């Protein structure tokens, strides 16, 4: 559905993006990550037709972004970080205007309006003035305008910003529901959000791709050895001494100690499974073993490994 090849863009002497090459399959959700200034916004503006590519090729649904920008815009729903909405209009008036601009046929406009109002949880506020809505509801209006023409491609920049926790869950569920029928690029700073929604992740830094793959693939690539999370009752330092003496345990550190319980992280070699030996050492040593589970590397840790602070 989306194919980007050797895409570059410069602002004067500054190279914003540098030979980006990636693709997004039909129905896939791609998490698009990177620090501030990495080139995410420039890339999304080119994909949505708001900016021409400098060098390289961008194809969306077989159309060339450099030559067929208008046709591409009809196939894309775009939610920018700052939603450009008319605050003086009612929700329905604003969505009606967007539908008109996007060429939604008059005969099907009412059905399109009802569909997005329902999808985005706006039915109860459809006659309210947009400027009098909470920030969370205004964000929903922004998502509704991106969906009004039923586009096959959605590009979402920070779609849950300003939402309360319950609304965040609702919007995440909505985006998951759209996957499969639409191709989605999701840019966000909330890393757990990406791992819960995206089927694949692309991380860029200084205009170049530094990692690409499913969350599981990135974890396997960057986590060199097995790491285990162990929760014990009582002092964590006693459990640390017991675990450190187990053959195959390379390192142990205390993650937390509170409310009479301790949590430790133990890194082991990959020659064999050390769980039975660790459990036996703790129990024989008088420690109360409450939990022993795999501690996969988090998306935050992946991001920090690939994009060091101050880089």
């Amino acid at each position: 559905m989306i194919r980007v090849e050797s895409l570059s863009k410069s602002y004067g002497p500054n190279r914003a993006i540098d030979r980006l090459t990636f693709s997004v399959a039909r129905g896939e959700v791609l998490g698009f990550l990177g620090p501030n200034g990495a080139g995410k916004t420039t890339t999304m503006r080119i994909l949505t037709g708001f900016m021409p590519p400098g060098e390289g090729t961008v194809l969306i649904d077989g159309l060339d972004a450099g030559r067929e920008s208008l046709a591409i815009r009809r196939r894309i729903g775009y939610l920018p970080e700052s939603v450009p909405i008319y605050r003086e209009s009612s929700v329905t008036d604003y969505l009606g205007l967007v539908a008109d601009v996007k060429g939604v046929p008059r005969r099907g406009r009412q059905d399109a309006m009802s569909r997005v109002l329902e999808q985005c949880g706006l039915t109860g506020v459809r006659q309210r003035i947009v400027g009098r809505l909470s920030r969370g509801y205004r964000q929903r209006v922004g998502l509704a305008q991106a969906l009004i023409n039923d586009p096959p491609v959605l590009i979402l920049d920070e779609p849950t910003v300003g939402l309360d926790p319950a609304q965040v869950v609702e919007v995440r569920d909505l985006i998951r529901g759209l996957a499969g029928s639409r191709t989605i690029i999701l840019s966000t700073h909330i890393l757990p959000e990406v791992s819960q929604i995206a089927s694949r992740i692309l991380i860029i830094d200084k205009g170049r791709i530094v990692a690409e793959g499913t969350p599981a693939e990135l974890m396997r690539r960057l986590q060199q050895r097995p790491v285990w999370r162990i929760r014990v009752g009582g002092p964590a330092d006693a459990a640390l001494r017991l675990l450190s003496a187990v053959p195959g345990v390379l390192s142990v550190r205390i993650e937390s100690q509170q409310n009479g319980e301790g949590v430790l992280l133990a890194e082991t070699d990959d020659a064999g499974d050390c769980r039975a030996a660790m459990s036996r050492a703790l129990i024989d040593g008088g420690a109360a073993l409450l939990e022993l589970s795999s501690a996969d590397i988090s998306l935050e840790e992946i991001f920090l490994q690939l994009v060091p602070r101050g880089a």
Side-chain angles (χ1 to χ4, degrees), residues 165-177:
Q167 292 171 333
V168 167
V169 172
E170 291 171 1
V171 172
R172 284 177 183 168
D173 289 343
L174 169 59
I175 295 171
R176 286 194 199 98

Side-chain angles (χ1 to χ4, degrees), residues 4-305:
V4 176
E5 293 183 358
S6 301
L7 180 64
S8 297
K9 184 73 175 181
S10 299
Y11 299 106
N14 299 317
R15 195 86 154 171
I17 49 177
D18 189 8
R19 290 169 291 178
L20 291 184
T21 297
F22 65 92
S23 61
V24 191
R26 190 178 300 274
E28 184 179 19
V29 180
L30 177 71
F32 192 42
L33 304 178
N36 291 334
K40 302 190 304 297
T41 298
T42 297
T43 304
M44 287 188 292
R45 286 177 176 170
I46 292 173
L47 292 176
T48 53
F50 283 85
M51 178 184 292
E55 304 169 22
T57 303
V58 175
L59 296 176
I60 297 178
D61 202 14
L63 301 173
D64 189 295
R67 298 193 302 267
E68 301 167 284
S69 173
L70 187 58
I72 282 176
R73 292 187 201 190
R74 294 193 182 104
R75 287 165 169 78
I76 289 178
Y78 179 38
L79 175 64
E81 184 174 359
S82 298
V83 185
I85 54 180
Y86 292 109
R87 300 173 65 93
E88 298 79 13
S89 300
S90 70
V91 172
T92 52
D93 285 347
Y94 170 67
L95 292 178
L97 174 62
V98 174
D100 189 39
V101 170
K102 291 190 174 185
V104 177
R106 287 189 176 276
R107 206 168 35 179
R109 194 166 297 178
Q110 195 57 49
D111 288 342
M113 191 97 67
S114 298
R115 171 178 53 82
V116 298
L117 289 170
E118 179 67 27
Q119 280 182 318
C120 300
L122 292 167
T123 303
V125 298
R126 59 189 304 158
Q127 298 303 330
R128 294 272 301 276
I129 300 301
V130 173
R132 297 176 185 170
L133 295 174
S134 68
R135 182 171 179 178
Y137 270 107
R138 292 199 301 272
Q139 192 73 2
R140 289 166 178 251
V141 173
L143 187 55
Q145 65 81 27
L147 291 166
I148 191 71
N149 60 324
D150 201 19
V153 177
L154 275 179
I155 296 181
L156 309 176
D157 191 1
E158 303 288 352
T160 60
V161 65
L163 303 183
D164 64 38
Q167 292 171 333
V168 167
V169 172
E170 291 171 1
V171 172
R172 284 177 183 168
D173 289 343
L174 169 59
I175 295 171
R176 286 194 199 98
L178 295 171
S181 61
R182 289 174 176 80
T183 302
I184 301 173
I185 295 181
L186 169 69
S187 176
T188 178
H189 286 88
I190 306 173
L191 299 186
E193 189 166 88
V194 177
S195 60
Q196 293 180 45
I197 297 175
S199 53
R200 190 161 57 92
I201 295 169
L202 188 149
I203 303 175
I204 68 171
D205 185 34
K206 299 176 182 175
R208 295 187 176 185
I209 296 173
V210 295
E212 184 178 1
T214 67
E217 288 170 346
L218 294 179
M219 288 173 188
R220 284 195 299 269
R221 194 180 309 164
L222 294 174
Q223 185 161 303
Q224 301 294 322
R225 299 183 180 91
V227 178
W228 307 95
R229 176 172 283 103
I230 300 121
R231 186 164 61 93
V232 297
D237 53 356
L240 186 147
R241 288 193 295 270
L242 293 169
L243 291 168
S244 298
V246 175
V249 174
L250 303 177
S251 66
V252 186
R253 66 179 177 87
I254 298 173
E255 185 177 54
S256 65
Q257 174 80 61
Q258 58 185 351
N259 301 325
E261 296 183 0
V263 178
L264 303 95
L265 293 176
E267 182 181 17
T268 63
D269 62 36
D270 50 14
D273 194 334
C274 295
R275 284 177 294 179
M278 290 191 293
S279 300
R280 191 163 47 249
L282 289 168
I283 294 169
D284 291 348
L289 176 59
L290 304 178
E291 179 187 347
L292 195 161
S293 59
S294 175
D296 291 329
I297 186 172
S298 68
L299 189 54
E300 287 90 341
E301 291 169 311
I302 292 173
F303 188 84
L304 291 173
Q305 285 191 39

